[in-house]
Amino acid sequence: MAVTDEAIARIKAMIVSGALRPGDRLPKESELAAELGLSRNSLREAVRALSLIRILDVRQGDGTYVTSLDPQLLLEAMSFVVDFHRDDTVLEFLAVRRILEPAATAMACGRIGEDELDALEAQLAALVPEPSVEELVAADLEFHRRIVRASGNSVLCSLLDGLSGPTTRARIWRGLAQDDALGRTLHEHRAILGALRDRDAEAARSWATVHIASVERWLRSMP
C-alpha cells in the first residue's frame, strides 16, 4: 500500500507542478514508470485509484488523461462517500449545510437575475396542492440548487450538492412524519425568495438558516 501511495504522490506532484495539465495524456505506462522510478504494477494501482476520484480518466484503447479537474467533477467522489455514512450522522451533515447554504444564499442576493427569480416563483406555484413526498423533496432540492448556483461559486455549489445524500433522506423522513411539511416548506421558500427579491442578503441568510434548522430540530425530536 505504501508503494501505491508513493506512486499517487508522484503523479499528484506532476499535476500540481504543471508538468501534467488538465486534458493532458499521460506518457505510456512503461515510460512513466521508468521516469518516476516506480514499478508498472504500483503505477497501475495509482492510476486506478486516481481514476476513481476523477483525477484521471482511463480511456480503453486511447490512453490515460488528466481530467478537467473541475470542482464539480472532483467533488462527485465526496458525494459517493457521503452516501455511505450512517443515518445517525445526518445531523452532522445538516450542521455543515447550515453553515454553507445560508452563506451561498446571501451571496446569491446580489447576483441572481430577475428571470431566475421569476423561475423560482413559477416553480413554487407549480407544486400541486398535495404532492407526493418524492415531488416535495425534488422541488426542495431544485429550489436550493438554483439559488446556490446563482452564488457564482462552483466549489460551494458542488460541496452542497455533495451533501444532498443524507439531507435528502432527512427531507424524506420529514415529509413522511411531520404534519404540514408542505405548508412549512412553502412558507420558508417564499420567505427566502422574498428576501432575494428585496436584495436583502441578511434576511435571505436568516431564512435559509431557519429552513435548515427546522429540519434539524425535527430530527433531534425523533426518538
Side-chain angles (χ1 to χ4, degrees), residues 127-206:
L127 199 60
V128 296
E130 296 184 6
S132 66
V133 171
E134 291 77 15
E135 288 171 331
L136 183 57
V137 169
D140 189 35
L141 280 169
E142 182 60 20
F143 181 82
H144 293 292
R145 186 176 288 118
R146 284 181 174 217
I147 293 172
V148 173
R149 193 182 301 129
S151 73
N153 188 311
S154 61
V155 175
L156 194 52
C157 191
S158 297
L159 280 170
L160 285 165
D161 262 351
L163 292 171
S164 291
T167 54
T168 297
R169 289 199 293 275
R171 293 190 191 104
I172 290 173
W173 298 338
R174 186 186 187 205
L176 286 169
Q178 188 179 46
D179 292 336
D180 197 26
L182 175 60
R184 289 172 184 268
T185 298
L186 287 177
H187 171 71
E188 291 161 1
H189 281 184
R190 289 191 177 113
I192 293 169
L193 181 56
L196 290 172
R197 283 200 182 278
D198 293 339
R199 307 297 174 180
D200 187 337
E202 288 311 308
R205 185 196 306 272
S206 296

Side-chain angles (χ1 to χ4, degrees), residues 16-215:
V16 171
S17 70
L20 286 173
R21 298 180 180 278
D24 282 356
R25 185 178 186 276
L26 269 64
K28 290 181 180 179
E29 183 183 273
S30 57
E31 295 174 4
L32 185 58
E35 179 183 342
L36 297 178
L38 300 167
S39 71
R40 294 178 65 173
N41 187 58
S42 61
L43 178 60
R44 199 172 297 127
E45 290 298 321
V47 167
R48 185 176 295 115
L50 291 170
S51 68
L52 288 173
I53 57 173
R54 304 302 184 91
I55 302 293
L56 298 178
D57 178 19
V58 179
R59 305 175 190 175
Q60 294 297 326
D62 186 20
T64 300
Y65 292 78
V66 180
T67 67
S68 65
L69 302 180
D70 286 339
Q72 184 174 359
L73 184 67
L74 298 180
L75 289 169
E76 281 181 11
M78 183 191 76
S79 178
F80 180 79
V81 172
V82 160
D83 282 336
F84 285 94
H85 280 71
R86 302 183 313 275
D87 288 340
D88 60 4
T89 63
V90 167
L91 280 167
E92 295 180 16
F93 284 105
L94 278 169
V96 175
R97 184 177 161 228
R98 182 158 43 87
I99 294 168
L100 297 178
E101 193 162 302
T105 305
M107 289 168 64
C109 236
R111 299 176 59 97
I112 194 166
E114 290 298 324
D115 287 349
E116 186 63 20
L117 289 170
D118 290 343
L120 287 169
E121 188 83 54
Q123 181 192 334
L124 294 181
L127 199 60
V128 296
E130 296 184 6
S132 66
V133 171
E134 291 77 15
E135 288 171 331
L136 183 57
V137 169
D140 189 35
L141 280 169
E142 182 60 20
F143 181 82
H144 293 292
R145 186 176 288 118
R146 284 181 174 217
I147 293 172
V148 173
R149 193 182 301 129
S151 73
N153 188 311
S154 61
V155 175
L156 194 52
C157 191
S158 297
L159 280 170
L160 285 165
D161 262 351
L163 292 171
S164 291
T167 54
T168 297
R169 289 199 293 275
R171 293 190 191 104
I172 290 173
W173 298 338
R174 186 186 187 205
L176 286 169
Q178 188 179 46
D179 292 336
D180 197 26
L182 175 60
R184 289 172 184 268
T185 298
L186 287 177
H187 171 71
E188 291 161 1
H189 281 184
R190 289 191 177 113
I192 293 169
L193 181 56
L196 290 172
R197 283 200 182 278
D198 293 339
R199 307 297 174 180
D200 187 337
E202 288 311 308
R205 185 196 306 272
S206 296
W207 274 111
T209 303
V210 166
H211 183 54
I212 300 164
S214 67
V215 181

